[in-house]
């Protein structure tokens, strides 16, 4: 199918009001989210209640506060998602919920709501893996089946590379052995006195800086860990550059703007170089011709630009999650339709997991 045919196909699918719908719930970190999604992957509603304002003054997510905010938000958010979709509880044919990975206290709030609905409505419950959902956002955006593909998820909590044989067959190739890429952005932003969350702030500051002023390290691990990531050395290197060795007390607010811009641009370039190189390595090793990239850091314009250049140069298809689906949301849990079709429903004994549980 050509791209135009895909689009036509996608649009005709979107025009089917009788399509079945499910409710998806997401509460893995600091966003309380719910979406109503139809079987053709059209997003009928997508509601996200962010807690950024609660956590900003702590420079990161405080788990206990996140759980409490989820408890306050979950029912209004679900109601809002149903209202915006013009759907009633009886219209739902399944309840999907993110159960891993994430903050246990946060995940439990979403799971409890989802179990209650599934039990009361007598509808199937589907467990969604948050990281796989980030990759599925690319599939939704493409409008056609993009698998097999290599998938990269770069977020505040994860930096994971997958070989995705199909929408329900993701094999983890590598992940970070210390900080996630987004976490490095957040920590370096704090070193530079920039606002939380750090990714957008670094990207903004980097616009007026030079990526070559400082040569920060690119960590490429040796075999057999070649597809793993490590960003903590880079973060320390930025700290040494700014605060000296050993680091001395300094006032981040007093750093000259042009200096901050150059450090931000040089740091961003180092992260992007590593991400792009490892994606190319994974594509080559797995013999795949499509790369999909999702997660909060996939919103980064420099990363998008360098991935685009690599795709042109190396001749692979690049599918990046649309900006609206990069950061956490429940719409990307439309992967639940694939799980439902594969008969992968869960029972009420379903539990959450802080880490990644491998399916195979
Ligand atoms: O996927 P996400 O919303 O939440 C997690 O599952 O972690 O990702 C949030 C992360 C934060 O670390 C944030 O700083 C980073 O994504 N981020 C960015 C950008 N926008 C968000 N990093 C780099 N450039 C951006 N434009
Ligand atoms: Zn995420």
């Amino acid at each position: 199918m050509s791209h135009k045919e895909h689009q036509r196909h996608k649009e005709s699918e979107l025009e089917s009001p009788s399509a079945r719908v499910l409710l998806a719930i997401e509460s893995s970190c600091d966003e309380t989210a719910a979406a109503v999604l139809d079987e053709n992957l059209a997003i009928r509603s997508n509601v996200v209640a962010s807690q950024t304002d609660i956590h900003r003054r702590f420079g990161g997510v405080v788990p206990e506060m996140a759980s409490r905010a989820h408890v306050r938000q979950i029912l209004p958010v679900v109601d809002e998602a149903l209202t915006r979709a013009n759907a009633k509880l009886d219209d739902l044919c399944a309840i999907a919920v993110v159960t891993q990975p994430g903050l246990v206290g946060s995940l439990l709030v979403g799971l409890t709501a989802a179990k209650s609905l599934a039990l009361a409505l007598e509808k199937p419950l589907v467990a969604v893996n948050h990281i796989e959902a980030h990759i599925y956002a690319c599939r939704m955006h493409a409008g056609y089946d993009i698998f097999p593909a290599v998938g990269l998820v770069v977020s505040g909590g994860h930096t994971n590379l997958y070989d995705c044989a199909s929408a329900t067959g993701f094999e983890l190739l590598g992940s970070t052995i210390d900080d996630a890429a987004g976490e490095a952005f957040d920590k370096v932003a704090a070193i530079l006195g920039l606002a939380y969350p750090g990714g957008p702030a670094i990207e903004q500051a980097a616009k007026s800086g030079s990526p070559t002023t400082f040569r920060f390290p690119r960590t490429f691990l040796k075999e057999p860990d070649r597809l793993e990531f490590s960003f903590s050395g880079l973060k320390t290197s930025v700290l040494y550059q700014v605060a000296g060795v050993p680091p001395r007390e300094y006032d981040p607010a007093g750093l000259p703007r042009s200096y901050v811009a150059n450090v931000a641009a040089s740091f961003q370039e180092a992260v992007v170089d590593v991400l792009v190189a490892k994606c190319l390595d994974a594509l080559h090793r797995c013999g795949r011709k499509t790369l999909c990239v999702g997660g909060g850091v996939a919103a980064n314009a420099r990363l998008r630009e360098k991935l685009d250049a690599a795709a042109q140069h190396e001749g692979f298809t690049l599918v990046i999650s649309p900006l609206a689906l990069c950061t956490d949301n429940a719409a990307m849990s439309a992967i639940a339709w694939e799980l439902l079709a594969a008969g992968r429903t869960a029972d009420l004994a379903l539990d959450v997991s802080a880490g990644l549980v491998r399916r195979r």
Side-chain angles (χ1 to χ4, degrees), residues 88-113:
K88 297 184 295 299
L89 284 173
D90 281 344
D91 298 336
L92 303 173
C93 74
I95 311 293
V97 60
V98 168
T99 56
Q100 62 152 316
L103 301 169
V104 167
S106 292
L107 288 162
L108 276 172
V109 177
L111 178 61
T112 307

Side-chain angles (χ1 to χ4, degrees), residues 14-308:
L14 290 177
E15 289 158 10
S16 52
S18 60
R20 296 183 303 154
V21 293
L22 62 70
L23 173 72
I25 293 176
E26 148 77 60
S27 65
S28 61
C29 190
D30 61 338
E31 256 95 33
T32 319
V36 174
L37 308 160
D38 87 17
E39 60 189 324
N40 300 314
L41 305 184
I43 302 171
R44 297 280 179 89
S45 67
N46 183 21
V47 179
V48 182
S50 172
Q51 303 175 7
T52 308
D53 288 345
I54 297 175
H55 303 290
R56 180 171 286 119
R57 67 193 164 108
F58 302 104
V61 178
V62 183
E64 178 63 18
M65 296 180 82
S67 312
R68 286 167 192 268
H70 284 307
V71 170
R72 284 195 300 273
Q73 301 276 26
I74 190 78
L75 294 181
V77 164
V78 167
D79 276 344
E80 181 72 18
L82 290 167
T83 304
R84 286 196 204 170
N86 203 13
K88 297 184 295 299
L89 284 173
D90 281 344
D91 298 336
L92 303 173
C93 74
I95 311 293
V97 60
V98 168
T99 56
Q100 62 152 316
L103 301 169
V104 167
S106 292
L107 288 162
L108 276 172
V109 177
L111 178 61
T112 307
K115 278 186 185 177
S116 309
L117 284 168
L119 181 65
L121 301 170
E122 297 181 18
K123 302 290 177 184
L125 187 62
V126 186
V128 170
N129 174 317
H130 176 81
I131 310 293
E132 297 184 0
H134 268 303
I135 293 178
Y136 202 73
C138 302
R139 154 71 181 91
M140 295 168 75
H141 177 58
Y144 63 94
D145 186 2
I146 57 173
F147 304 110
V150 162
L152 172 71
V153 178
V154 262
S155 71
H158 302 276
T159 305
N160 291 11
L161 258 177
Y162 289 87
D163 183 25
C164 312
S166 70
T168 54
F170 291 14
E171 189 190 338
L172 187 63
L173 297 169
S175 54
T176 181
I177 58 171
D178 41 57
D179 292 351
E183 192 180 350
F185 269 95
D186 293 338
K187 288 177 176 169
V188 166
I191 292 171
L192 293 175
L194 298 171
Y196 167 84
I202 296 259
E203 178 173 348
Q204 184 58 31
K207 281 185 187 154
S208 53
S210 158
T212 54
T213 308
F214 303 103
R215 180 74 196 168
F216 291 127
R218 276 87 171 139
T219 306
F220 292 104
L221 301 160
K222 293 197 179 69
E223 297 292 355
D225 301 324
R226 194 76 185 154
L227 294 181
E228 310 282 345
F229 297 85
S230 168
F231 293 108
S232 84
L234 169 60
K235 174 194 64 190
T236 306
S237 178
V238 173
L239 178 67
Y240 286 169
Q241 166 57 46
V242 174
V245 188
R248 50 179 191 281
E249 291 268 322
Y250 71 101
D251 175 15
L255 297 170
R257 276 179 82 126
S258 59
Y259 176 75
V260 169
N262 287 333
V263 173
S266 302
F267 159 77
Q268 177 176 262
E269 201 70 4
V271 176
V272 168
D273 281 352
V274 170
L275 294 176
V276 173
K278 301 228 172 190
C279 285
L280 293 181
D281 202 350
L283 282 165
H284 181 69
R285 285 175 194 227
C286 300
R288 303 302 190 200
K289 294 272 179 292
T290 299
L291 173 68
C292 45
V293 185
V297 183
N300 185 273
R302 184 65 179 150
L303 176 61
R304 288 172 170 254
E305 190 184 356
K306 284 201 131 177
L307 284 171
D308 239 349

